[in-house]
Amino acid sequence: MACLNNICKEVSDEKKMTKEEEDYTLDGTVDRHGQPAIRSKTGTWVSGILLLVNQGLATLAFFGVGVNLVLFLTRVLGQDNAEAANNVSKWTGTVYIFSLLGAFLSDSYWGRYKTCAIFQAIFVVGLVLLSISSSAFLLYPKGCGDEETPCGTHSTFHIVFFYLAIYMVALGNGGYQPTIATFGADQFDEEDPKEGHSKIAFFSFFYLALNLGSLFSNTILGYFEDQGMWTLGFWASAGSAFVALVLFLIGTPRYRHFKPQGNPLSRFCQVLVAAIRKWKVGIRPGDDHLFETDKNESAIKGDRRILHTEGFRFLDRAAIMTPNDYAMDEEKNTKGRNPWRLCTITQVEEVKCILRLLPIWLCTILYSVVFTQMASLFVEQGDAMKTTVSNFDIPAASMSSFDILSVATFIFIYRRILDPIVAKIKTNPKGLTELQRMGIGLVIAILAMVAAGVVEVFRLKYANKDCPNCNNASSLSIFWQIPQYMLIGASEVFMYVGQLEFFNGQAPDGLKSFGSALCMTSISLGNYVSSLLVTMVMKISTRDNMPGWIPGNLNKGRLDLFYFLLAALTTADLMIYIICARWYKCIKFDGRTNGDDDDNKKSRPVTVAAQAEFRV
């Protein structure tokens, strides 16, 4: 009987342990104390909804500044159209450069929660300083900054204070933006069928929250700012960002976390150094003589091995085993692999993968030049058109709401109509590939620039040549801009969504954030290229007493020629992109390094005997 009681007790303990194990998440997430996350007490939609509201409010705050920044620079600071467009492009580009910093810190050292909290705090401080500088220094005399009343001159201190504030806004939003979406997805365990489905749905709701926030900024806040109520608009943005930060911190006890994985740059450097050290070593075809670890020795636990490819064969030397690749470990009194002399196939393929992605990435930069015109020259063009309907004045910046509506519409059209049709025609359940979608995005971008150029031709036809300040300088209605905004929105669905999926899908497991950073960095460089292009065009076109293509009074310029130039450059970029897309080879994964035994049996056998030969 005592034996039977012991058996029953052991069975009961095993059931209790099994139940406790089932309560924990299966994807390796931990709670705020670093302990395995308990499913019922962390994550899921409780955390997800907080982060969705946080994203909507933060987006409202950011676009409350960015959507009308070009008009603030012209009306309040007295900059001409070309200078203001350049400054907006530089500022927007800096936002996305800082996103690279945020992604690096979150994945390597700080983790996503700490990164989001710190950069959101910087974001709030920047918005508060911007509001103070506008109300105390820049909007003088009182009531200036609208279409009719110009502001006075400003001291160097006031200008420096203003730029310090807006670049703090850029730092805060840029560092936060690439991290919050991934952090939201972390709240759902992809190993659990129910939570895995919710994780997929989260991205759709996240994109919806982003669009709703920007739509409010482009319409309501944009209207008040266009009427000269800049202080009200900036303080509203600061308040929205503060509420977003408070909501984010309220959810702290519920969040799930992934631990940061360390600096990926060292792995890249190890491959390059090892390959250079062995530049005289001969390379044989195939991968039987190349080094690969077993699943327990992976650089990052959980990563999948990447299968060997024949391209960039010089880098394969880093994985060729030689007698000098192992150094003595004095503590263990054994020989260990020197990672700066011998790298794994997966490490080498990581570098190859990034090298293959770079040409595609470079081709996306010029598209971002087209995209950035929506926040600068499109606004200036609209401001020089008829913006009144009856007695209601339409802010030029609010026209970007048609871009948002276009994005939502074409996502539905693509997902529900176009993609299923293409899938049936191609007998491919996935429909268009990411590379094909990006190419379509470039084609639509060309059409958008042609449409903008045609609208400008007709705007000039109905323009008042004697207009001194170019506000309502043409009888052509601002609603003629709708096609170019709609086309830009359609191109985003194909280019930016496809680009995000492509870089995330083709990036190695240890560099997923780097894939997202590539998308945002292309936008950043696009803004800088746009600024450089405007500067070059103005320098060339202002010769012989000509006012240039983009003067302060657009009625005396040729903005249409600039749009047609962008269309021609994008066409050339499309041709190069097609060549790069045909050359590109997709990454091929093996199995996860912490997978089941069956997965490991499918993996390429490790040359243990060859490794042991050099350990003696």
Side-chain angles (χ1 to χ4, degrees):
M1 182 64 67
C3 181
L4 182 60
N5 289 336
N6 290 335
I7 293 175
C8 292
K9 183 178 180 181
E10 290 177 2
V11 171
S12 177
D13 290 342
E14 287 180 359
K15 289 182 178 180
K16 184 177 180 181
M17 292 177 62
T18 302
K19 186 177 184 304
E20 290 177 350
E21 291 175 357
E22 290 176 350
D23 287 339
Y24 292 107
T25 56
L26 304 176
D27 59 355
T29 51
V30 297
D31 59 20
R32 59 173 174 161
H33 302 295
Q35 302 299 318
I38 299 175
R39 190 182 305 280
S40 60
K41 296 182 179 180
T42 60
T44 66
W45 282 112
V46 177
S47 301
I49 291 175
L50 278 175
L51 295 176
L52 289 174
V53 177
N54 167 271
Q55 170 64 18
L57 291 172
T59 303
L60 185 157
F62 176 74
F63 282 99
V65 175
V67 72
N68 264 330
L69 183 59
V70 67
L71 295 183
F72 186 87
L73 294 178
T74 55
R75 296 179 182 178
V76 178
L77 298 188
Q79 298 179 4
D80 60 39
N81 286 327
E83 183 183 7
N86 273 346
N87 285 328
V88 171
S89 294
K90 292 175 184 177
W91 179 77
T92 308
T94 304
V95 172
Y96 293 109
I97 285 292
F98 284 139
S99 70
L100 193 63
L101 173 65
F104 174 78
L105 290 174
S106 66
D107 285 348
S108 301
Y109 300 109
W110 287 357
R112 296 186 181 105
Y113 170 81
K114 187 176 180 180
T115 302
C116 285
I118 291 175
F119 281 105
Q120 280 191 86
I122 296 173
F123 184 45
V124 172
V125 172
L127 287 169
V128 170
L129 293 179
L130 175 61
S131 303
I132 292 174
S133 69
S134 300
S135 58
F137 308 136
L138 303 179
L139 294 173
Y140 181 84
K142 187 176 180 179
C144 74
D146 57 8
E147 292 182 345
E148 298 179 356
T149 309
C151 292
T153 58
H154 306 98
S155 68
T156 302
F157 170 77
H158 296 162
I159 299 298
V160 170
F161 194 96
F162 166 76
Y163 277 108
L164 173 65
I166 64 170
Y167 276 93
M168 282 191 69
V169 171
L171 172 61
N173 185 264
Y176 151 86
Q177 198 61 43
T179 309
I180 190 66
T182 309
F183 186 59
D186 291 345
Q187 308 310 308
F188 302 94
D189 182 4
E190 64 181 0
E191 301 296 332
D192 178 78
K194 185 177 180 180
E195 289 195 24
H197 178 75
S198 297
K199 185 172 186 175
I200 297 173
F202 175 82
F203 287 106
S204 298
F205 288 116
F206 182 85
Y207 191 76
L208 177 62
L210 188 151
N211 278 271
L212 289 177
S214 61
L215 181 61
F216 182 86
S217 299
N218 292 344
T219 53
I220 307 300
L221 285 186
Y223 173 78
F224 286 114
E225 291 173 353
D226 185 68
Q227 298 301 311
M229 303 179 191
W230 297 102
T231 302
L232 174 63
F234 291 157
W235 276 116
S237 294
S240 178
F242 178 75
V243 174
L245 176 59
V246 171
L247 289 176
F248 179 82
L249 296 176
I250 287 175
T252 299
R254 289 279 316 186
Y255 294 141
R256 297 174 185 173
H257 310 265
F258 279 104
K259 296 180 180 179
Q261 300 290 351
N263 189 351
L265 295 178
S266 61
R267 300 199 304 274
F268 275 66
C269 294
Q270 287 170 358
V271 172
L272 297 178
V273 170
I276 292 172
R277 283 180 170 179
K278 299 177 182 178
W279 67 279
K280 291 184 178 181
V281 176
I283 303 176
R284 302 197 306 268
D287 61 351
D288 292 338
H289 63 297
L290 302 179
F291 174 78
E292 184 62 280
T293 62
D294 59 37
K295 64 176 183 178
N296 295 321
E297 296 180 3
S298 174
I300 299 178
K301 185 177 180 181
D303 280 4
R304 292 169 289 181
R305 293 197 189 103
I306 306 176
L307 298 178
H308 175 259
T309 59
E310 294 297 331
F312 300 103
R313 295 190 65 192
F314 169 78
L315 296 174
D316 286 342
R317 290 185 169 88
I320 296 176
M321 292 171 288
T322 66
N324 298 324
D325 293 338
Y326 289 86
M328 180 63 69
D329 188 337
E330 296 181 356
E331 294 183 1
K332 298 180 180 180
N333 197 27
T334 58
K335 282 190 174 183
R337 176 174 66 92
N338 183 353
W340 295 92
R341 293 195 63 91
L342 180 62
C343 303
T344 64
I345 293 176
T346 296
Q347 268 186 273
V348 173
E349 292 300 321
E350 280 183 340
V351 180
K352 290 183 180 182
C353 176
I354 299 305
L355 292 177
R356 291 192 178 103
L357 287 175
L358 288 179
I360 302 294
W361 171 73
L362 289 172
C363 290
T364 65
I365 294 175
L366 197 59
Y367 171 81
S368 295
V369 175
V370 172
F371 175 76
T372 194
Q373 305 312 314
M374 189 171 57
S376 54
L377 291 181
F378 278 18
V379 178
E380 294 177 355
Q381 181 188 33
D383 199 45
M385 301 174 74
K386 182 182 179 182
T387 60
T388 56
V389 177
S390 295
N391 294 325
F392 183 77
D393 188 51
I394 302 169
S398 68
M399 293 298 291
S400 59
S401 58
F402 287 100
D403 167 76
I404 298 171
L405 295 175
S406 176
V407 169
T409 301
F410 277 93
I411 282 181
F412 175 81
I413 292 175
Y414 173 74
R415 295 295 183 187
R416 299 296 182 183
I417 301 176
L418 181 60
D419 205 36
I421 293 176
V422 173
K424 290 181 180 180
I425 295 175
K426 295 180 58 179
T427 64
N428 182 358
K430 292 184 178 181
L432 294 172
T433 66
E434 290 88 350
L435 289 173
Q436 289 171 338
R437 289 162 59 187
M438 291 161 66
I440 293 174
L442 282 172
V443 172
I444 300 176
I446 296 170
L447 298 178
M449 287 296 97
V450 172
V454 171
V455 168
E456 180 63 14
V457 169
F458 283 93
R459 191 198 68 80
L460 290 173
K461 183 178 179 180
Y462 296 98
N464 178 8
K465 300 296 183 180
D466 298 325
C467 172
N469 57 14
C470 226
N471 292 323
N472 288 307
S474 175
S475 61
L476 190 68
S477 173
I478 194 174
F479 289 112
W480 283 100
Q481 281 192 311
I482 292 177
Q484 64 201 59
Y485 278 103
M486 295 289 287
L487 287 169
I488 289 291
S491 69
E492 288 178 65
V493 173
F494 288 95
M495 171 56 79
Y496 278 142
V497 178
Q499 185 180 347
L500 186 61
E501 292 180 11
F502 175 75
F503 286 130
N504 275 277
Q506 293 299 309
D509 287 335
L511 296 168
K512 291 299 181 183
S513 293
F514 178 77
S516 300
L518 281 178
C519 302
M520 305 193 79
T521 308
S522 72
I523 300 175
S524 170
L525 293 180
N527 280 272
Y528 287 121
V529 172
S530 175
S531 176
L532 176 63
L533 187 61
V534 169
T535 301
M536 293 175 60
V537 165
M538 286 299 295
K539 187 174 182 179
I540 295 173
S541 61
T542 51
R543 293 178 178 177
D544 300 327
N545 297 323
M546 296 296 292
W549 287 2
I550 318 174
N553 185 345
L554 289 182
N555 287 348
K556 297 181 180 180
R558 292 302 304 271
L559 183 60
D560 56 324
L561 296 182
F562 183 76
Y563 287 145
F564 292 142
L565 173 64
L566 283 180
L569 292 175
T570 308
T571 302
D573 182 60
L574 175 63
M575 299 298 103
I576 299 173
Y577 171 80
I578 292 174
I579 296 173
C580 294
R582 292 176 64 88
W583 167 82
Y584 182 80
K585 295 181 181 179
C586 293
I587 189 173
K588 295 182 179 180
F589 292 103
D590 195 349
R592 285 199 177 273
T593 56
N594 61 347
D596 298 332
D597 291 337
D598 290 340
D599 293 333
N600 296 322
K601 290 177 183 178
K602 297 177 184 178
S603 302
R604 188 184 68 82
V606 181
T607 54
V608 178
Q611 296 174 34
E613 175 184 349
F614 297 114
R615 287 178 177 161
V616 176

